[in-house]
Amino acid sequence: VAGDRLYAGSSSVRVWDIAQSPPVSLHTLTGHTDSVVALAVTGDRLYSGSSDNTIRVWDITQSPPVLLHSLTNHTGNVYA
C-alpha cells in the first residue's frame, strides 16, 4: 500500500484505488511470466519479484505505471 494505492500480485500486478468505495481497479501491470510473489514500494518505485526469477522496477508516478528495469540475473524465484 502506498497512499491510496494498493498493489496486489498474482500472474501480474494489479493497481487498486482504495480511496474509492468500493475500491476501483486502475491498472494491470504485465510482463512477469510466472506468479508475482513479492512487492515493495519505496518512494516513487514499485518492485515486483516473481517465480520467473526476475524483479521488475516500475515508476508509479506515471499513470499507468511505467516499467523502468527488468532485473534478470537471479537463479531462482525472487521472494523478497
Side-chain angles (χ1 to χ4, degrees):
V1 175
D4 59 357
R5 298 292 187 259
L6 169 68
Y7 302 93
S10 57
S11 60
S12 58
V13 177
R14 181 72 54 112
V15 182
W16 293 89
D17 180 347
I18 57 175
Q20 302 289 325
S21 183
V24 174
S25 175
L26 299 175
H27 309 290
T28 300
L29 311 181
T30 60
H32 285 293
T33 59
D34 208 337
S35 299
V36 175
V37 294
L39 294 168
V41 176
T42 303
D44 59 357
R45 300 288 186 259
L46 168 68
Y47 302 88
S48 56
S50 172
S51 295
D52 67 3
N53 304 348
T54 68
I55 297 171
R56 295 191 184 267
V57 182
W58 306 88
D59 178 352
I60 57 174
T61 66
Q62 305 294 314
S63 185
V66 173
L67 178 63
L68 298 175
H69 306 288
S70 200
L71 310 176
T72 60
N73 290 332
H74 297 277
T75 58
N77 299 343
V78 179
Y79 294 111

